[in-house]
Amino acid sequence: MPDPKSRFKNVDDSPLDGLIGESAVMRETYQLTRKFAASGASVLLMGETGTGKELIASSLHQLSDRASGPFVRVNCGALTETLLDSELFGHVKGSFTDAIRDRTGRFEAAHGGTIFLDEINSTSLTLQVKLLRVLQEREFERVGDTRTIPVDVRVIAASNCDLNELVAEGKFREDLFWRLNVLPIRLPTLRRRGNDVELLVKYFLKFYAQRNAKQITKVEPSAMQALLDYAWPGNVRELQNYIERAVVLSEDEVLEKKLLPAAVTGNTEAARSTVFRPSDDESLIREFVESHIGKAAVEAQDLHKQIVDPVEKELLKQVMAGCNQTQTKAAQRLGINRNTLYKKLLEHGLAKQNGKS
Ligand SMILES: Nc1ncnc2c1ncn2[C@@H]1O[C@H](COP(=O)(O)OP(=O)(O)O)[C@@H](O)[C@H]1O
Ligand SMILES: [Mg+2]
């Protein structure tokens, strides 16, 4: 029975097949998925890596009237532009060097079913034009061919960054964005799912214990607490990975805290070495703060801003320079979300609203 407080009172909000989690944000996700499945319109799944976009895409297909048709996934981030072009649309023999025979593309393979365009954010602007055409006209040509092929597919796309912002930066076509974004679903990060962490830990513990023929049934309370407190930048995929490793390592009936990575247990020496470590610069930072507190204390209105802003700005400048001004890389190094980085760069006047920094 749906929770009476939920957004759609008459839609089942119980977990979808294969999905674990009962938090309010996930219940809403299950409802949206059930509502959207019936429609033939495009769905855009947005969420950090490991939040379950692929699972939701597959649920959308399974719950639709296309369930008996094919479900075809294409990882747009894994192929070069030319290869992706021929992967999606097929090609005729001789259309480029490696095209030694005719090839059917994934759109044709998905006829009557669903095509899942994963990591759509990494497609080139040229390919985006071709995708827009298939979405609008439901037809395309194979690479190197003039024949037009009609196709009946439902399109689901996924992005691990905010497509709105890519549109603002001129890296994603606005018209394609609106075509895809008819039915949007934002997958919540694991940090926002509260106690789902515990359910997922227990689920994966059982799963991997069985697979490894081990008798682990319990989790040491301090281990569970550490897992609940952790920020999970890699979301469910990261959690799954750590539980599998702990099960493989375990020689006990209890999953012990010491089997979890230092990043989770806060066993800081090892954890810190993987992130930014001021180490040698510590005295410099202390000096900087002391001298600025001296100056700022006179007005002492917004000390945090006065101290932290210039440090943050310098950090952003240095890391961006070290990453060839690539925001994705810089965000990774800083350990913050790319959208957060973009906002901070704007705030510090280090990026322009519509273009590159
Ligand atoms: N709610 C969930 N319940 C159980 N397993 C999940 C859940 N969300 C994600 N997973 C698992 O986590 C991994 C990553 O999920 P995936 O759908 O590939 O994420 P994404 O496509 O967003 O990166 C997969 O192994 C998937 O089975
Ligand atoms: Mg994925």
Side-chain angles (χ1 to χ4, degrees):
M1 263 279 98
D3 176 344
K5 290 195 298 277
S6 70
R7 185 142 65 119
F8 309 108
K9 286 205 187 67
N10 300 318
V11 184
D12 181 3
D13 68 352
S14 63
L16 300 162
D17 269 358
L19 277 107
I20 306 297
E22 297 181 354
S23 54
V25 280
M26 282 311 283
R27 287 184 177 278
E28 208 171 295
T29 305
Y30 305 142
Q31 287 187 314
L32 273 182
T33 305
R34 288 194 172 94
K35 271 188 100 85
F36 290 174
S39 154
S42 304
V43 177
L44 179 59
L45 302 170
M46 284 197 267
E48 289 181 10
T49 178
T51 46
K53 296 185 291 296
E54 194 167 341
L55 286 179
I56 295 293
S58 151
S59 298
L60 283 164
H61 174 71
Q62 295 307 331
L63 295 169
S64 76
D65 54 12
R66 294 170 174 268
S68 60
F71 176 76
V72 174
R73 171 180 179 250
V74 183
N75 185 351
C76 302
L79 299 170
T80 62
E81 181 177 348
T82 317
L83 285 177
L84 182 58
D85 195 359
S86 93
E87 178 78 12
L88 288 171
F89 303 108
H91 62 242
V92 291
K93 189 175 156 184
S95 56
F96 58 94
T97 324
D98 293 330
I100 46 174
R101 61 175 71 89
D102 287 2
R103 185 176 193 279
T104 311
R106 310 285 273 168
F107 267 99
E108 275 175 84
H111 187 71
T114 306
I115 192 164
F116 173 42
L117 304 173
D118 204 357
E119 299 187 27
I120 187 98
N121 47 295
S122 38
T123 52
S124 69
L125 289 165
T126 321
L127 210 62
Q128 289 170 26
V129 178
K130 291 185 85 167
L131 287 172
L132 181 66
R133 164 134 184 265
V134 197
L135 279 162
Q136 273 173 344
E137 320 287 341
R138 305 278 152 188
E139 61 182 35
F140 64 94
E141 288 92 32
R142 290 183 184 173
V143 176
D145 203 358
T146 50
R147 267 182 315 151
T148 296
I149 301 171
V151 73
D152 166 33
V153 286
R154 202 250 179 112
V155 176
I156 300 175
S159 171
N160 50 26
C161 62
D162 203 327
L163 275 191
N164 291 300
E165 291 196 4
L166 285 193
V167 170
E169 290 175 57
K171 291 177 185 154
F172 202 87
R173 290 184 65 99
E174 192 170 5
D175 44 12
L176 178 59
F177 171 74
W178 288 117
R179 270 282 158 185
L180 292 171
N181 196 38
V182 180
L183 306 174
I185 301 182
R186 277 180 189 273
L187 277 287
T189 60
L190 186 52
R191 319 182 258 301
R192 289 188 53 214
R193 300 187 203 174
N195 216 43
D196 283 1
V197 169
E198 187 167 344
L199 300 178
L200 284 159
V201 168
K202 289 182 174 159
Y203 170 80
F204 287 123
L205 182 66
K206 197 167 165 193
F207 179 86
Y208 287 113
Q210 212 159 46
R211 181 187 270 193
N212 293 280
K214 296 212 175 185
Q215 300 301 319
I216 321 171
T217 49
K218 294 195 201 88
V219 181
E220 193 180 6
S222 64
M224 188 59 92
Q225 196 53 53
L227 291 161
L228 283 164
D229 291 341
Y230 184 55
W232 299 111
N235 296 290
V236 183
R237 183 178 287 109
E238 187 183 11
L239 182 147
Q240 181 176 356
N241 182 311
Y242 292 167
I243 301 302
E244 176 172 18
R245 189 187 321 168
V247 168
V248 170
L249 292 173
S250 177
E251 294 167 349
D252 215 321
E253 284 177 9
V254 178
L255 188 134
E256 294 166 294
K257 186 175 173 185
K258 65 172 193 233
L259 297 177
L260 296 172
V264 175
T265 57
N267 215 335
T268 44
E269 203 36 55
R272 264 203 232 119
S273 68
T274 62
V275 296
F276 175 69
R277 184 155 56 156
S279 61
D280 298 341
D281 301 325
E282 244 160 39
S283 60
L284 280 177
I285 293 174
R286 195 175 318 118
E287 237 177 75
F288 176 85
V289 171
E290 278 169 5
S291 70
H292 277 70
I293 286 182
K295 257 190 262 157
V298 185
E299 295 104 354
Q301 292 291 328
D302 45 5
L303 213 46
H304 184 268
K305 194 174 162 55
Q306 289 195 45
I307 303 288
V308 175
D309 271 10
V311 173
E312 184 174 74
K313 184 170 181 180
E314 193 53 35
L315 176 64
L316 293 176
K317 274 210 283 208
Q318 303 244 352
V319 174
M320 283 294 285
C323 294
N324 279 327
Q325 307 298 329
T326 312
Q327 293 184 14
T328 320
K329 266 197 223 148
Q332 257 167 18
R333 282 211 57 197
L334 289 161
I336 60 176
N337 178 297
R338 214 190 56 87
N339 303 329
T340 313
L341 173 65
Y342 179 60
K343 279 187 207 127
K344 285 183 185 292
L345 289 171
L346 284 181
E347 279 170 27
H348 289 291
L350 297 172
K352 286 198 209 86
Q353 189 76 49
N354 259 318
K356 296 188 191 89
S357 49

